[in-house]
Amino acid sequence: MTSTPQENPGEPNPLRALTLDRLRCRTSMKWRTYPKDVLPVWVAEMDVPLAEPVVRAVNDAMELGDTGYPAGTAYAEALAAFAAERWDFDGLDVTRTAIVPDVMLGVVEMLKLVTGPGDPVVVNSPVYPPFYQFVTHLDRRVVEAPLGPDGRIEPDVLRAAFHGLGGGRAAYLLCSPHNPTGTVHTAEELTAVTALAERYGVRVVADEIHAPLTAPGVGFVPYLSVPGAERGLSLMSASKAWNLAGLKAALAVAGPGAAADLAGLPEEVSHGPSHVGVLAHTAALTDGTAWLDALLAGLDENRRLLAALLDRHIPEIRYRPAEATYLAWLDCRALGLGDDPAETFLERGRVAVNSGIPFGTGGAGHVRLNLATSPEVVTEAVHRMATALGRTPARP
């Protein structure tokens, strides 16, 4: 697969566009969960203005009163064109797609298609906490296949997990790119996954919401592009890459061997997405790529900044800059703060990061930090973390 273009044709870095005072005027979860003296660098919301094509699409819809129910294939066509351009993947067939309310609700609907109550769903821990929550609430059983120390899928561990399922219906909920580690699975790794899935009769459902957010020189590999993935199902969306979580819309994509499964999706599921959300996501994928490239360049700067700041102020924290996403997975175990260092950083430093505990096995002693913000906020976050440890970092 081709790597993500990193050219920036004059588009300004959106991460530098908004002041902290302006951001605190927002009323979303990131800015209303904690008191005003807490610096929030936790939940996956970006501190950016929206891409101009997205704003224009939404404004046009408002002026026209175009706020009905979603219809048509424009979103799927835009995603197919984006996939062909960015990932050299021309196998995204619009006829094998369906609009769903968002990625996690789409995951639920895909799991309903390929498993039944009580059936096992394998996940690679540590992983996005809603994987546990949604699967459990769906009356499925979570089975962990932990990632290796390098944050990558371990075939022997996955094989043992599949072998232990005992036959019957089962699914593997793949996070690609992986949240929270930011690992981008290679074509070789995903091909090994398909071989194991076919051998043990496990259906693969891939959450690929972070796919557009790769680091320079890193190529995203769509799960459905690898040999043997014909029976796979994928969920994709523009929401993470363009900060559109509040404009609900996502796409379920089926491989050729899963078309009949997707055809069984209840018609009422398509009523859940926002029509305005579909318009916004379509505009992002079609006309928002220059904005995305500017964002990717800014995120790469922030990854390098975070590494330098930690090395200077809290060298005990182990941090490997991610291959994708705008999230940083920090190993804080050497600090001696116990299983939940996020609690110390919040109470003593007034900085909110995600606790690693809800991410499952491998999450204790870790925190997740959101890098989709200004360099100044990244710097302040590390300074507050150092302050929580009783250190006094030199400020510029």
Side-chain angles (χ1 to χ4, degrees):
M1 296 297 123
T2 56
S3 61
T4 303
Q6 296 294 320
E7 298 177 0
N8 181 2
E11 190 84 18
N13 179 359
L15 297 172
R16 293 179 176 268
L18 301 175
T19 65
L20 191 55
D21 286 344
R22 181 64 177 165
L23 289 165
R24 289 195 182 278
C25 294
R26 292 182 170 181
T27 59
S28 61
M29 180 185 291
K30 182 175 185 179
W31 298 99
R32 288 294 182 267
T33 298
Y34 295 98
K36 289 185 178 180
D37 67 322
V38 172
L39 185 70
V41 284
W42 63 295
V43 71
E45 297 180 25
M46 292 199 286
D47 296 346
V48 293
L50 293 182
E52 193 279 332
V54 172
V55 174
R56 185 170 62 247
V58 173
N59 284 344
D60 287 349
M62 295 299 104
E63 291 178 1
L64 189 61
D66 189 8
T67 54
Y69 296 101
T73 59
Y75 188 3
E77 291 166 10
L79 178 60
F82 184 89
E85 174 66 26
R86 292 274 163 149
W87 309 321
D88 194 25
F89 175 45
D90 59 5
L92 201 159
D93 188 336
V94 172
T95 66
R96 295 198 305 270
T97 66
I99 299 174
V100 292
D102 59 29
V103 163
M104 281 311 302
L105 290 178
V107 163
V108 166
E109 294 299 334
M110 297 306 102
L111 291 177
K112 286 180 181 178
L113 295 176
V114 299
T115 64
D119 286 340
V121 177
V122 177
V123 303
N124 297 124
S125 60
V127 73
Y128 184 49
F131 275 27
Y132 296 94
Q133 299 159 353
F134 279 80
V135 170
T136 301
H137 292 165
L138 185 60
D139 193 23
R140 270 55 168 179
R141 176 168 52 92
V142 175
V143 175
E144 292 185 325
L147 298 172
D150 58 356
R152 310 205 73 87
I153 296 170
E154 293 201 325
D156 288 343
V157 173
L158 191 62
R159 181 183 299 107
F162 285 179
H163 180 74
L165 299 178
R169 302 217 301 179
Y172 171 38
L173 182 50
L174 173 69
C175 194
S176 181
H178 195 85
N179 175 4
T181 64
T183 303
V184 175
H185 308 303
T186 66
E188 292 76 16
E189 289 169 330
L190 293 176
T191 300
V193 164
T194 65
L196 287 171
E198 287 303 302
R199 174 181 173 183
Y200 289 98
V202 176
R203 299 299 298 276
V204 179
V205 177
D207 170 356
E208 300 184 309
I209 196 171
H210 290 276
L213 293 165
T214 51
V218 178
F220 171 71
V221 182
Y223 178 71
L224 296 180
S225 72
V226 301
E230 290 80 9
R231 294 204 309 145
L233 293 157
S234 167
L235 284 305
M236 291 188 171
S237 174
S239 65
K240 281 292 180 285
W242 282 271
N243 205 40
L244 304 176
L247 292 169
K248 295 286 188 179
L251 285 165
V253 185
D261 295 303
L262 190 61
L265 189 69
E267 190 269 341
E268 63 267 21
V269 174
S270 67
H271 297 172
S274 160
H275 176 53
V276 177
V278 170
L279 297 175
H281 288 230
T282 303
L285 290 163
T286 303
D287 300 314
T289 54
W291 184 94
L292 174 64
D293 287 337
L295 171 70
L296 295 177
L299 290 175
D300 191 51
E301 293 174 4
N302 281 357
R303 292 186 192 102
R304 289 184 272 115
L305 172 63
L306 178 62
L309 288 167
L310 291 174
D311 184 62
R312 180 179 179 185
H313 299 298
I314 321 176
E316 299 93 334
I317 292 181
R318 295 180 58 189
Y319 166 57
R320 181 189 298 113
E323 296 173 317
T325 79
Y326 49 73
L327 306 168
W329 186 237
L330 308 182
D331 182 348
C332 304
R333 288 175 291 180
L335 293 174
L337 299 177
D339 288 345
D340 194 8
E343 188 175 74
T344 297
F345 293 137
L346 177 61
E347 291 181 357
R348 301 180 187 172
R350 309 308 287 164
V351 57
V353 291
N354 288 96
S355 167
I357 294 174
F359 291 81
T361 299
H366 292 70
V367 302
R368 194 189 73 174
L369 186 150
N370 183 344
L371 285 171
T373 187
S374 69
E376 291 77 18
V377 169
V378 173
T379 302
E380 178 65 18
V382 174
H383 285 172
R384 291 188 181 208
M385 292 167 68
T387 298
L389 301 172
R391 304 173 190 180
T392 306
R395 296 177 182 269

